[in-house]
PDB file of all heavy atoms in Angstrom:
ATOM      1  N   PRO A 398       6.349   3.923  23.321  1.00  0.00           N
ATOM      2  CA  PRO A 398       5.730   3.794  24.647  1.00  0.00           C
ATOM      3  C   PRO A 398       4.699   2.667  24.712  1.00  0.00           C
ATOM      4  O   PRO A 398       4.658   1.905  25.697  1.00  0.00           O
ATOM      5  CB  PRO A 398       5.088   5.169  24.870  1.00  0.00           C
ATOM      6  CG  PRO A 398       5.933   6.108  24.069  1.00  0.00           C
ATOM      7  CD  PRO A 398       6.309   5.319  22.839  1.00  0.00           C
ATOM      8  N   ALA A 399       3.863   2.537  23.672  1.00  0.00           N
ATOM      9  CA  ALA A 399       2.865   1.463  23.663  1.00  0.00           C
ATOM     10  C   ALA A 399       3.537   0.102  23.521  1.00  0.00           C
ATOM     11  O   ALA A 399       3.088  -0.891  24.119  1.00  0.00           O
ATOM     12  CB  ALA A 399       1.868   1.689  22.532  1.00  0.00           C
ATOM     13  N   ALA A 400       4.615   0.031  22.716  1.00  0.00           N
ATOM     14  CA  ALA A 400       5.333  -1.234  22.563  1.00  0.00           C
ATOM     15  C   ALA A 400       5.993  -1.634  23.880  1.00  0.00           C
ATOM     16  O   ALA A 400       6.043  -2.822  24.231  1.00  0.00           O
ATOM     17  CB  ALA A 400       6.376  -1.106  21.452  1.00  0.00           C
ATOM     18  N   ARG A 401       6.495  -0.665  24.619  1.00  0.00           N
ATOM     19  CA  ARG A 401       7.071  -0.973  25.933  1.00  0.00           C
ATOM     20  C   ARG A 401       5.989  -1.457  26.893  1.00  0.00           C
ATOM     21  O   ARG A 401       6.210  -2.370  27.699  1.00  0.00           O
ATOM     22  CB  ARG A 401       7.779   0.263  26.492  1.00  0.00           C
ATOM     23  CG  ARG A 401       9.041   0.649  25.732  1.00  0.00           C
ATOM     24  CD  ARG A 401       9.835   1.722  26.454  1.00  0.00           C
ATOM     25  NE  ARG A 401      11.068   2.008  25.744  1.00  0.00           N
ATOM     26  CZ  ARG A 401      11.312   3.118  25.056  1.00  0.00           C
ATOM     27  NH1 ARG A 401      10.398   4.082  25.009  1.00  0.00           N
ATOM     28  NH2 ARG A 401      12.450   3.284  24.427  1.00  0.00           N
ATOM     29  N   GLN A 402       4.814  -0.849  26.792  1.00  0.00           N
ATOM     30  CA  GLN A 402       3.719  -1.259  27.662  1.00  0.00           C
ATOM     31  C   GLN A 402       3.271  -2.673  27.341  1.00  0.00           C
ATOM     32  O   GLN A 402       2.978  -3.461  28.247  1.00  0.00           O
ATOM     33  CB  GLN A 402       2.549  -0.282  27.529  1.00  0.00           C
ATOM     34  CG  GLN A 402       1.430  -0.512  28.542  1.00  0.00           C
ATOM     35  CD  GLN A 402       1.902  -0.339  29.972  1.00  0.00           C
ATOM     36  OE1 GLN A 402       2.465   0.689  30.331  1.00  0.00           O
ATOM     37  NE2 GLN A 402       1.686  -1.362  30.801  1.00  0.00           N
ATOM     38  N   LYS A 403       3.240  -3.014  26.051  1.00  0.00           N
ATOM     39  CA  LYS A 403       2.847  -4.383  25.691  1.00  0.00           C
ATOM     40  C   LYS A 403       3.863  -5.382  26.230  1.00  0.00           C
ATOM     41  O   LYS A 403       3.484  -6.428  26.776  1.00  0.00           O
ATOM     42  CB  LYS A 403       2.726  -4.529  24.170  1.00  0.00           C
ATOM     43  CG  LYS A 403       2.412  -5.969  23.758  1.00  0.00           C
ATOM     44  CD  LYS A 403       2.056  -6.154  22.310  1.00  0.00           C
ATOM     45  CE  LYS A 403       1.711  -7.623  22.049  1.00  0.00           C
ATOM     46  NZ  LYS A 403       1.246  -7.893  20.699  1.00  0.00           N
ATOM     47  N   ALA A 404       5.149  -5.076  26.102  1.00  0.00           N
ATOM     48  CA  ALA A 404       6.174  -5.968  26.641  1.00  0.00           C
ATOM     49  C   ALA A 404       6.008  -6.121  28.146  1.00  0.00           C
ATOM     50  O   ALA A 404       6.048  -7.240  28.686  1.00  0.00           O
ATOM     51  CB  ALA A 404       7.561  -5.426  26.300  1.00  0.00           C
ATOM     52  N   SER A 405       5.793  -5.019  28.823  1.00  0.00           N
ATOM     53  CA  SER A 405       5.632  -5.057  30.279  1.00  0.00           C
ATOM     54  C   SER A 405       4.408  -5.867  30.683  1.00  0.00           C
ATOM     55  O   SER A 405       4.459  -6.673  31.625  1.00  0.00           O
ATOM     56  CB  SER A 405       5.528  -3.630  30.819  1.00  0.00           C
ATOM     57  OG  SER A 405       5.315  -3.623  32.212  1.00  0.00           O
ATOM     58  N   ASN A 406       3.299  -5.666  29.966  1.00  0.00           N
ATOM     59  CA  ASN A 406       2.076  -6.416  30.265  1.00  0.00           C
ATOM     60  C   ASN A 406       2.282  -7.921  30.129  1.00  0.00           C
ATOM     61  O   ASN A 406       1.626  -8.720  30.810  1.00  0.00           O
ATOM     62  CB  ASN A 406       0.942  -5.962  29.357  1.00  0.00           C
ATOM     63  CG  ASN A 406       0.480  -4.552  29.650  1.00  0.00           C
ATOM     64  OD1 ASN A 406       0.793  -3.982  30.693  1.00  0.00           O
ATOM     65  ND2 ASN A 406      -0.258  -3.960  28.711  1.00  0.00           N
ATOM     66  N   ASN A 407       3.180  -8.296  29.211  1.00  0.00           N
ATOM     67  CA  ASN A 407       3.448  -9.717  28.976  1.00  0.00           C
ATOM     68  C   ASN A 407       4.598 -10.242  29.835  1.00  0.00           C
ATOM     69  O   ASN A 407       4.990 -11.402  29.698  1.00  0.00           O
ATOM     70  CB  ASN A 407       3.752  -9.954  27.498  1.00  0.00           C
ATOM     71  CG  ASN A 407       2.526  -9.737  26.620  1.00  0.00           C
ATOM     72  OD1 ASN A 407       1.395  -9.930  27.068  1.00  0.00           O
ATOM     73  ND2 ASN A 407       2.738  -9.329  25.381  1.00  0.00           N
ATOM     74  N   GLY A 408       5.157  -9.359  30.680  1.00  0.00           N
ATOM     75  CA  GLY A 408       6.215  -9.790  31.578  1.00  0.00           C
ATOM     76  C   GLY A 408       7.612  -9.689  31.015  1.00  0.00           C
ATOM     77  O   GLY A 408       8.540 -10.349  31.517  1.00  0.00           O
ATOM     78  N   TYR A 409       7.801  -8.850  29.989  1.00  0.00           N
ATOM     79  CA  TYR A 409       9.100  -8.745  29.337  1.00  0.00           C
ATOM     80  C   TYR A 409       9.650  -7.330  29.438  1.00  0.00           C
ATOM     81  O   TYR A 409       8.940  -6.372  29.751  1.00  0.00           O
ATOM     82  CB  TYR A 409       9.001  -9.163  27.867  1.00  0.00           C
ATOM     83  CG  TYR A 409       8.408 -10.536  27.681  1.00  0.00           C
ATOM     84  CD1 TYR A 409       7.232 -10.721  26.961  1.00  0.00           C
ATOM     85  CD2 TYR A 409       9.022 -11.656  28.243  1.00  0.00           C
ATOM     86  CE1 TYR A 409       6.674 -11.985  26.810  1.00  0.00           C
ATOM     87  CE2 TYR A 409       8.475 -12.917  28.090  1.00  0.00           C
ATOM     88  CZ  TYR A 409       7.295 -13.074  27.375  1.00  0.00           C
ATOM     89  OH  TYR A 409       6.750 -14.315  27.234  1.00  0.00           O
ATOM     90  N   ASP A 410      10.930  -7.183  29.129  1.00  0.00           N
ATOM     91  CA  ASP A 410      11.585  -5.879  29.088  1.00  0.00           C
ATOM     92  C   ASP A 410      11.481  -5.290  27.692  1.00  0.00           C
ATOM     93  O   ASP A 410      11.041  -5.954  26.736  1.00  0.00           O
ATOM     94  CB  ASP A 410      13.066  -6.019  29.464  1.00  0.00           C
ATOM     95  CG  ASP A 410      13.273  -6.512  30.890  1.00  0.00           C
ATOM     96  OD1 ASP A 410      12.364  -6.291  31.721  1.00  0.00           O
ATOM     97  OD2 ASP A 410      14.331  -7.114  31.152  1.00  0.00           O
ATOM     98  N   GLY A 411      11.939  -4.057  27.560  1.00  0.00           N
ATOM     99  CA  GLY A 411      12.061  -3.443  26.251  1.00  0.00           C
ATOM    100  C   GLY A 411      10.734  -3.160  25.581  1.00  0.00           C
ATOM    101  O   GLY A 411       9.724  -2.875  26.241  1.00  0.00           O
ATOM    102  N   ALA A 412      10.734  -3.269  24.255  1.00  0.00           N
ATOM    103  CA  ALA A 412       9.567  -2.911  23.446  1.00  0.00           C
ATOM    104  C   ALA A 412       9.141  -4.089  22.590  1.00  0.00           C
ATOM    105  O   ALA A 412       9.947  -4.626  21.819  1.00  0.00           O
ATOM    106  CB  ALA A 412       9.891  -1.707  22.563  1.00  0.00           C
ATOM    107  N   GLN A 413       7.874  -4.489  22.733  1.00  0.00           N
ATOM    108  CA  GLN A 413       7.284  -5.542  21.903  1.00  0.00           C
ATOM    109  C   GLN A 413       6.204  -4.902  21.042  1.00  0.00           C
ATOM    110  O   GLN A 413       5.177  -4.451  21.545  1.00  0.00           O
ATOM    111  CB  GLN A 413       6.673  -6.652  22.761  1.00  0.00           C
ATOM    112  CG  GLN A 413       6.026  -7.756  21.925  1.00  0.00           C
ATOM    113  CD  GLN A 413       5.293  -8.788  22.770  1.00  0.00           C
ATOM    114  OE1 GLN A 413       5.233  -8.671  23.991  1.00  0.00           O
ATOM    115  NE2 GLN A 413       4.726  -9.793  22.112  1.00  0.00           N
ATOM    116  N   TYR A 414       6.452  -4.852  19.738  1.00  0.00           N
ATOM    117  CA  TYR A 414       5.501  -4.195  18.845  1.00  0.00           C
ATOM    118  C   TYR A 414       4.276  -5.079  18.597  1.00  0.00           C
ATOM    119  O   TYR A 414       4.381  -6.309  18.571  1.00  0.00           O
ATOM    120  CB  TYR A 414       6.165  -3.844  17.512  1.00  0.00           C
ATOM    121  CG  TYR A 414       6.994  -2.588  17.589  1.00  0.00           C
ATOM    122  CD1 TYR A 414       8.372  -2.637  17.783  1.00  0.00           C
ATOM    123  CD2 TYR A 414       6.394  -1.334  17.500  1.00  0.00           C
ATOM    124  CE1 TYR A 414       9.124  -1.478  17.857  1.00  0.00           C
ATOM    125  CE2 TYR A 414       7.139  -0.166  17.575  1.00  0.00           C
ATOM    126  CZ  TYR A 414       8.506  -0.249  17.758  1.00  0.00           C
ATOM    127  OH  TYR A 414       9.242   0.903  17.845  1.00  0.00           O
ATOM    128  N   PRO A 415       3.110  -4.460  18.428  1.00  0.00           N
ATOM    129  CA  PRO A 415       1.882  -5.234  18.163  1.00  0.00           C
ATOM    130  C   PRO A 415       1.897  -5.811  16.754  1.00  0.00           C
ATOM    131  O   PRO A 415       2.506  -5.239  15.846  1.00  0.00           O
ATOM    132  CB  PRO A 415       0.778  -4.179  18.313  1.00  0.00           C
ATOM    133  CG  PRO A 415       1.443  -2.893  17.943  1.00  0.00           C
ATOM    134  CD  PRO A 415       2.856  -3.005  18.444  1.00  0.00           C
ATOM    135  N   TRP A 416       1.208  -6.930  16.567  1.00  0.00           N
ATOM    136  CA  TRP A 416       1.118  -7.513  15.231  1.00  0.00           C
ATOM    137  C   TRP A 416       0.310  -6.594  14.302  1.00  0.00           C
ATOM    138  O   TRP A 416       0.654  -6.420  13.150  1.00  0.00           O
ATOM    139  CB  TRP A 416       0.494  -8.904  15.300  1.00  0.00           C
ATOM    140  CG  TRP A 416       0.370  -9.542  13.951  1.00  0.00           C
ATOM    141  CD1 TRP A 416      -0.776  -9.925  13.323  1.00  0.00           C
ATOM    142  CD2 TRP A 416       1.445  -9.848  13.053  1.00  0.00           C
ATOM    143  NE1 TRP A 416      -0.486 -10.445  12.084  1.00  0.00           N
ATOM    144  CE2 TRP A 416       0.871 -10.408  11.890  1.00  0.00           C
ATOM    145  CE3 TRP A 416       2.829  -9.690  13.115  1.00  0.00           C
ATOM    146  CZ2 TRP A 416       1.636 -10.822  10.802  1.00  0.00           C
ATOM    147  CZ3 TRP A 416       3.602 -10.100  12.028  1.00  0.00           C
ATOM    148  CH2 TRP A 416       3.000 -10.667  10.889  1.00  0.00           C
ATOM    149  N   GLU A 417      -0.777  -6.024  14.820  1.00  0.00           N
ATOM    150  CA  GLU A 417      -1.549  -5.044  14.063  1.00  0.00           C
ATOM    151  C   GLU A 417      -1.603  -3.760  14.890  1.00  0.00           C
ATOM    152  O   GLU A 417      -1.823  -3.789  16.093  1.00  0.00           O
ATOM    153  CB  GLU A 417      -2.979  -5.534  13.797  1.00  0.00           C
ATOM    154  CG  GLU A 417      -3.070  -6.800  12.969  1.00  0.00           C
ATOM    155  CD  GLU A 417      -4.513  -7.209  12.683  1.00  0.00           C
ATOM    156  OE1 GLU A 417      -5.380  -6.326  12.594  1.00  0.00           O
ATOM    157  OE2 GLU A 417      -4.762  -8.426  12.554  1.00  0.00           O
TER     158      GLU A 417
END
Side-chain angles (χ1 to χ4, degrees):
R401 291 190 177 108
Q402 188 62 54
K403 176 170 182 175
S405 177
N406 292 345
N407 292 331
Y409 305 119
D410 297 335
Q413 179 186 2
Y414 280 97
W416 180 242
E417 298 182 30

